[in-house]
Amino acid sequence: MLTEIRIESLGAISVAVGEFGRGLTVLTGETGTGKTMVVTGLHLLGGARADATRVRSGADRAVVEGRFTTTDFDDETAAQLDSVLESLGAERDEDGSVIALRSVSRDGPSRAYLGGRSVPAKSLGDFTAELLTLHGQNDQLRLMRPEEQRGALDRFAAAGPALERYRKLREAWLSARRDLIERRDHARELAQEADRLKFALNEIDSVDPQPAEDEALVADIRRLSELDTLREAAAAARTALSADDTDAFGSSAVDSLGRARTALESADDATLRALAEQISQALTVVTDAGQELGDYLEQLPVDASALESKLARQAQLRTLTRKYAADIDGVLRWAQESRERLAQIDVSEEGIAALERRVDELARELCDAAVDLSNLRRKAAKRLAKAVTAELAGLAMGDAEFTIGVTTDVASDQDDPATLTLPSGELARAGGDGVDQVEFGFAAHRGMTVLPLAKSASGGELSRVMLALEAVLAASAAGTTMVFDEVDAGVGGRAAVQIGRRLARLARTHQVIVVTHLPQVAAYGDVHLVVHAAGPRGTSVVQRVTGDDRVAELARMLAGLGESDSGRAHARELLDAAQNDEI
């Protein structure tokens, strides 16, 4: 639920704060005062594209801030919202609400914030999509598009899982079909590629390089190149430490340390005995070092023939690194990728036949998924059309008829790569949303020919069709805030009263915010906000009105009679009737 919105420097609004409660909130005001800017602000919080021209003249940027609560949602939806917040690092306010903010700069990019963290505008929209459902005059026009009509039907039918299954199978089918076509059309090129890969892999396998072997060889070759020097140094060091006979200085280090330890251990003095212990430790280290030097000397090659072997091996590895990668680890990665690619290249008759069977199998599974989706839509279409027609009757259109046609999207060309042969024998185009065409039909009066909605509904009729459709679909959007921007355009009289009643009924289960010019609709509001000019330079403010102020606003809306007694009497009568209406 939206509890508060704050708008700064957006259109005609300099600074305005609107507080919303549960039920129906109506937003009214003279034309040009900025009522629609409230809806524009909500669109911005919904991740819509920022328009720098909306920034108020003289300001550097416009800011829209909304405060939302999520306590009205079911556990699953609440968990999804918490997951989005956690993934973005956003935090709730102290009262558990979530603050969303959008800043639009006159010269620079827009900025989006959620729960105190800077986020992409799309991420902000992903969060608020569960909280806000926005309907404006542009949405009425979108309702005439086939894809919007299909989306509304799928929403009513809860077709998400069936549609997802269809899309996954379609993607797998198209991928396998493209692979089959590629193998057939490019068999020669693929065979040549396979031969090149086999030759290269045979060359690599014959050398059998090991991970990081080229680096190890460099160290070994450096050691072998200095073999005599290394042997002489190691031998001299070993002799000095632990030779059997005395060195040039008269004895080995081991002998000298041994005599020193013996001399100190014979003394009856604590300090000397401590030093004897240290010498004993040094003697252990020297003895170990002598043994390690002996092992080192034994491992050194006797002659330089090992160097030639290492150099030859290095030459083999360099042949591979010149052709396939910068180092041996890269060569091994290239070989692994090439083996995977080679496994995919099979232009043999057996391989192509196996792929043909795979394509046919996926086509059958896709047909089953498409038929299941179509049946689901056709069954739901009858129920949705009946429910919307009943809603229209409650909107002073008792003679109206609303229909939903679900027909097969027949393929115009059998060679179309997305053509499916359905069990009925029809050739259908397997589009991204199924094999169906969905079309809303409408007739304002019985006896009239039902025509496509785009050709048969006036502006006012289209407004009521959209409201009726939303009223039926409301159950699938429980907990959301529904915003209607002049949904009553082109409507008046008894129809306006019925729209007000329908919005009030919808507000029993949803928070509903509506921008309206009609007093018959405004009278049904639980909260009445007025946008009016106040101050210099056309500044507008949002003010909540109650009591006599609300009566005066309704009187103004009736016929500009806000100051007349007759206008106020008429407005009070209208308000009393709406508030006492048993909806």
Side-chain angles (χ1 to χ4, degrees), residues 420-438:
L420 273 180
T421 302
L422 299 179
S424 62
E426 286 182 292
L427 292 178
R429 184 179 180 280
D433 298 311
V435 297
D436 306 311
Q437 289 182 322
V438 177

Side-chain angles (χ1 to χ4, degrees), residues 4 38 45 54 87 114 171 176 237 271 279 281 305 308 376 399 416 466 579:
E4 183 181 80
V38 176
L45 292 180
R54 295 288 191 180
S87 66
L114 182 65
E171 183 179 352
T271 301
I279 292 175
Q281 295 174 2
S305 60
E308 296 178 1
L376 182 65
D399 289 336
D416 187 328
M466 189 182 76
Q579 297 300 305

Side-chain angles (χ1 to χ4, degrees), residues 5 7 13 20 27 34-43 531 542:
I5 186 172
I7 299 175
I13 297 176
F20 304 97
L27 198 66
K35 298 185 303 298
T36 302
M37 285 301 101
V38 176
V39 179
T40 300
L42 291 174
H43 275 289
V531 182
V542 178

Side-chain angles (χ1 to χ4, degrees), residues 294-510:
D295 295 340
Y296 179 83
L297 285 168
E298 290 178 1
Q299 292 173 2
L300 285 176
V302 178
D303 53 41
S305 60
L307 176 60
E308 296 178 1
S309 175
K310 298 285 186 180
L311 290 172
R313 179 63 176 172
Q314 188 180 53
Q316 288 181 315
L317 298 183
R318 283 179 174 172
T319 298
L320 300 182
T321 54
R322 280 197 302 269
K323 292 183 178 181
Y324 306 113
D327 54 30
I328 289 301
D329 286 350
V331 171
L332 292 174
R333 285 193 299 271
W334 184 90
Q336 179 61 31
E337 293 170 358
S338 297
R339 287 190 178 91
E340 294 173 359
R341 172 59 179 163
L342 189 60
Q344 298 173 357
I345 301 176
D346 184 359
V347 292
S348 65
E349 292 184 2
E350 295 81 3
I352 290 178
L355 187 54
E356 287 175 341
R357 290 193 295 272
R358 175 61 176 161
V359 171
D360 291 341
E361 179 185 354
L362 286 170
R364 287 192 295 272
E365 292 182 13
L366 182 61
C367 278
D368 291 342
V371 170
D372 291 344
L373 181 58
S374 296
N375 291 338
L376 182 65
R377 285 170 171 166
R378 287 188 170 95
K379 291 178 182 178
K382 295 178 181 179
R383 293 184 285 114
L384 179 57
K386 182 178 179 180
V388 171
T389 299
E391 282 291 329
L392 289 173
L395 292 171
M397 297 180 70
D399 289 336
E401 182 180 3
F402 180 80
T403 65
I404 302 176
V406 181
T407 58
T408 301
D409 186 4
V410 179
S412 58
D413 184 359
Q414 189 170 0
D415 294 330
D416 187 328
T419 297
L420 273 180
T421 302
L422 299 179
S424 62
E426 286 182 292
L427 292 178
R429 184 179 180 280
D433 298 311
V435 297
D436 306 311
Q437 289 182 322
V438 177
E439 185 174 70
F440 288 177
F442 177 76
H445 303 283
R446 287 192 178 93
M448 295 178 61
T449 302
V450 176
L451 296 174
L453 186 64
K455 298 180 179 179
S456 57
S458 66
E461 290 167 345
L462 189 60
S463 298
R464 281 179 277 180
V465 169
M466 189 182 76
L467 180 56
L469 186 62
E470 281 302 324
V472 174
L473 296 178
S476 63
T480 58
T481 296
M482 308 186 77
V483 182
F484 295 93
D485 183 16
E486 299 188 13
V487 68
D488 49 19
V491 178
R494 188 166 64 92
V497 173
Q498 294 302 322
I499 286 180
R501 298 183 79 246
R502 192 63 63 200
L503 289 169
R505 182 181 301 173
L506 191 60
R508 289 177 174 177
T509 55
H510 296 71

Side-chain angles (χ1 to χ4, degrees), residues 70-186:
T70 59
T71 55
D72 294 333
F73 290 98
D74 56 57
D75 293 342
E76 182 178 355
T77 304
Q80 291 176 353
L81 293 172
D82 287 339
S83 177
V84 173
L85 291 173
E86 183 178 355
S87 66
L88 297 173
E91 297 181 354
R92 294 181 180 273
D93 206 0
E94 293 180 354
D95 60 357
S97 63
V98 181
I99 297 177
L101 186 145
R102 190 79 182 276
S103 171
V104 181
S105 174
R106 180 178 297 279
D107 300 320
S110 68
R111 294 283 186 268
Y113 302 87
L114 182 65
R117 296 296 297 271
S118 177
V119 299
K122 182 180 182 303
S123 297
L124 179 63
D126 291 340
F127 177 78
T128 56
E130 295 289 344
L131 305 173
L132 291 171
T133 301
L134 303 169
H135 301 283
Q137 296 181 47
N138 290 334
D139 298 280
Q140 297 175 30
L141 297 176
R142 284 202 300 269
L143 186 60
M144 295 188 286
R145 300 175 186 170
E147 64 271 17
E148 294 290 332
Q149 296 176 4
R150 179 201 56 76
L153 176 59
D154 284 353
R155 180 177 157 196
F156 178 78
L163 183 59
E164 182 66 20
R165 172 173 173 256
Y166 167 86
R167 285 172 173 168
K168 287 182 177 178
L169 286 169
R170 177 178 180 270
E171 183 179 352
W173 173 66
L174 289 176
S175 177
R177 181 167 173 154
R178 285 193 299 268
D179 193 8
L180 177 60
I181 293 172
E182 181 183 7
R183 293 193 193 190
R184 285 172 173 171
D185 294 348
H186 304 285

